[in-house]
Amino acid sequence: MSPTARPTLLDVARAAGVSRATASRALAGLPSVDAALARRVRDAAADLDYRTNTAARALRSGATGSVALVAPSSELEGQGGPFVGAPLRGATAVLFARSVQPVLLLDDARDRAPLLRHLTSGHVDAAVVVLQRESEPLFTELGDLPLPVVFVGRPRAAMDDALTSVDSDNYGGGRLAARALLEAGRRRVATIAGPSGYAPADERTRGFRDELAAWDVHPGPVVHGSFSMSSGASAAASVLRRDPAVDGLFAGSDLMALGALRVLAAGGRRVPEDVSVVGFDDTVVAETCDPPLTSVRQPLRELGARAAELVLDVLRDPGAAPQHVLLPTTLTTRESV
Amino acid sequence: MSPTARPTLLDVARAAGVSRATASRALAGLPSVDAALARRVRDAAADLDYRTNTAARALRSGATGSVALVAPSSELEGQGGPFVGAPLRGATAVLFARSVQPVLLLDDARDRAPLLRHLTSGHVDAAVVVLQRESEPLFTELGDLPLPVVFVGRPRAAMDDALTSVDSDNYGGGRLAARALLEAGRRRVATIAGPSGYAPADERTRGFRDELAAWDVHPGPVVHGSFSMSSGASAAASVLRRDPAVDGLFAGSDLMALGALRVLAAGGRRVPEDVSVVGFDDTVVAETCDPPLTSVRQPLRELGARAAELVLDVLRDPGAAPQHVLLPTTLTTRESV
DNA sequence: CGTCGGTGGGAAATCGATCTCTGGCAGGTG
DNA sequence: CACCTGCCAGAGATCGATTTCCCACCGACG
């Protein structure tokens, strides 16, 4: 026996003076083992620093004890970082706590074949898929996988109800944004919306309008952008053309808000004195821009954590009905309103 | 046999009319199998859509076929996103291509025990550890792990030579920054350095000074910040106090450069007309700030990829000598110089 | 006092791939 | 013609945990 040889269940069983079978049952916490014996086994295990061999367990039980975390590869490092990184963090923490291995798989939109092959090769028991705009097609391809899948994000309202997903309450976020502007006394407001047809963007706009309606305020012009800074800038320019007297602006993303801030400044408008601006996502740029941006925060980390919990639930009870969870958004107040 | 039962090696062997052993050898590509037979086996495998059972292989061979990717949990979602996300992406791509599972483990600085337990429990064969400032202590704790570890980043110059690491050429980056300022005709330059004692920051400053020396230019004032925007702002203020006629500024991070830009603008200096500014890291803020920032780019993705390759090398040949790889930085030119 | 329900625990099969050991066969040599 | 060397492929052991099957033993009841 080399000094680095790890103890096996047999070693534990011997040390405790029982059979392998009993040792296994004791460590699994099965009730059919005498309490005193179980105690002896657990002590022996702790004594030997025994760790159960994952491979052996996986082989025997047919489950691998790992869950895939699928994220769009291009987003992880760029601007989308937090949108992907934070859910990953949340999911990882949950899985880790239940000693399930989170296996990171990055989705390359140009070639999904390897990803699909991996997911169907029995390497993982289930998957948490972080959807971003570009990875939207994924939910179609992954929907009928022979393993449990939970999606973070719901890019299309029409997404199959049979799919389990967790998403931010974008609608509620839109309402929060509207309320912030309204409570600041703004009544001539405009919307720089995200791309239409993309459910989260549409939901934000819808929430915004509904809240305005509840206050009997006219929704003003709505211009669509692509979430980027430059699209926000041109949208803002278009808004100013349509209504030069605008005093409140809701942007569907922080980057678009940033573009708008530039245009407003160039046009001689002061923020927040002349125009109030609310962004969405509460990212770094909201903190670092000038003035710092009031923004709607998405519970990104919780999204991932909740998705991981759901996936573990499904693994425990495969019959569970698909769910569609919405987590609340909150408003982070800074100086732009 | 249920319809979902996956084919085993035995099924493949039967279909090819050989024994399990031969099938195994054929699929492993061992030369001791007749070419025609090997071909038959491979065809049968493809035909049945056979995938080798990871658990069984792991159990038998003693290796798990997975490598841990350790990243500081707090950085993944915040500003540090790209610094962590990009190496992760690079490493994942490499591992995936060699069908090694990248297991994502996040390091919680408050409690490292679970991480260490996981790494020593035989769940993974090796680890790639992304070091950031706060996870610096990790390299001490992980250095003598009984498995191969490759670090991305080298927070201390005095880091044990027995540890394998991959890092950006921060020194070269400093030289690039200096050259950019010098070639723009700047001669009264100042440095907003990162925290002293943190090797990457010190290296950047050293490279900067050496390049200046090569041009016979006096290095000017050096003020230390903490990489944050606000620290950059106060450092810039201090620089202006010390030398109001400064015409070139090298900041050890984009965020500090951003803080400096604000202070310069507030002080009535135009960038780049009056003062040229070079940042470091080439992050989103370098793109989005006003004016867009010339910045030194770190090859973050390559860092991770290279680390993954090194770790696979060590797994293949455990006797390999520890290495200390430096990857070149490049200059991204925008409008601030 | 004998038998029966019930409970705790041991022996052994099992999961699937790998690897050692060994035998068979062909070609070459004395 | 006998024997040896190589090469190729099959039989079976092995990795370690789980789980089924079954036996032994206990108290209780007829």
Side-chain angles (χ1 to χ4, degrees), chain B residues 150-333:
Chain B
V150 173
F151 294 93
V152 172
R154 201 165 177 93
R156 284 197 221 155
M159 195 164 139
D160 192 338
D161 273 338
L163 304 181
T164 292
S165 69
V166 184
D167 203 354
S168 301
D169 179 11
N170 289 294
Y171 174 83
R175 296 198 74 136
L176 284 177
R179 206 169 309 146
L181 292 177
L182 292 165
E183 287 174 350
R186 305 311 188 172
R187 291 297 180 272
R188 285 194 85 138
V189 298
T191 307
I192 298 181
S196 100
Y198 181 52
D202 292 341
E203 286 295 283
R204 290 169 199 180
T205 308
R206 193 167 66 83
F208 188 75
R209 296 177 66 112
D210 282 2
E211 184 70 17
L212 292 183
W215 289 56
D216 279 327
V217 171
H218 184 265
V222 176
V223 184
H224 289 272
S226 66
F227 284 142
S228 72
M229 179 169 71
S230 59
S231 76
S234 43
S238 154
V239 163
L240 289 180
R241 232 176 293 123
R242 290 213 234 165
D243 181 4
V246 69
D247 65 5
L249 205 51
F250 169 47
S253 78
D254 285 344
L255 278 178
M256 293 198 297
L258 180 58
L261 286 179
R262 294 277 163 80
V263 169
L264 290 172
R269 266 93 167 175
R270 290 165 307 159
V271 174
E273 292 82 354
D274 303 327
V275 185
S276 291
V277 179
V278 177
F280 210 106
D281 296 336
D282 193 17
T283 50
V284 206
V285 295
E287 285 180 66
T288 59
C289 69
D290 186 24
L293 200 61
T294 289
S295 186
V296 177
R297 198 185 93 82
Q298 301 194 52
L300 295 171
R301 205 191 300 175
E302 293 78 4
L303 249 39
R306 191 61 183 279
E309 282 165 10
L310 285 177
V311 102
L312 291 174
D313 287 350
V314 179
L315 283 177
R316 212 174 312 126
D317 170 20
Q323 296 190 48
H324 179 175
V325 176
L326 276 192
L327 298 183
T329 47
T330 53
L331 189 76
T332 301
T333 305

Side-chain angles (χ1 to χ4, degrees), chain B residues 19-20 22 25 33-34 37 59-60:
Chain B
S19 72
R20 276 202 332 280
T22 305
R25 285 186 281 247
V33 181
D34 182 82
L37 259 196
L59 175 58
R60 171 66 219 207

Side-chain angles (χ1 to χ4, degrees), chain B residues 102-172:
Chain B
V103 175
L104 182 61
L105 301 180
L106 297 185
D107 165 44
D108 180 350
R110 289 167 314 190
D111 181 12
R112 297 228 152 84
L115 173 65
L116 290 172
R117 200 170 334 117
H118 197 98
L119 286 175
T120 55
S121 289
H123 292 294
V124 295
D125 298 335
V128 170
V129 180
V130 180
L131 289 177
Q132 288 284 298
R133 260 212 303 158
E134 56 162 287
S135 54
E136 208 190 306
L138 257 186
F139 79 81
T140 326
E141 306 186 34
L142 297 185
D144 48 355
L145 236 48
L147 42 78
V149 178
V150 173
F151 294 93
V152 172
R154 201 165 177 93
R156 284 197 221 155
M159 195 164 139
D160 192 338
D161 273 338
L163 304 181
T164 292
S165 69
V166 184
D167 203 354
S168 301
D169 179 11
N170 289 294
Y171 174 83

Side-chain angles (χ1 to χ4, degrees), chain A residues 39-63:
Chain A
R39 169 126 214 90
R40 262 209 343 257
V41 171
R42 276 195 303 271
D43 287 349
D47 214 43
L48 296 172
D49 193 27
Y50 166 78
R51 321 282 177 89
T52 138
N53 181 315
T54 334
R57 169 180 289 165
L59 175 58
R60 171 68 221 204
S61 63

Side-chain angles (χ1 to χ4, degrees), chain A residues 56-76:
Chain A
R57 169 180 289 165
L59 175 58
R60 171 68 221 204
S61 63
T64 65
S66 45
V67 166
L69 302 181
V70 181
S73 67
S74 56
E75 297 286 336
L76 190 56

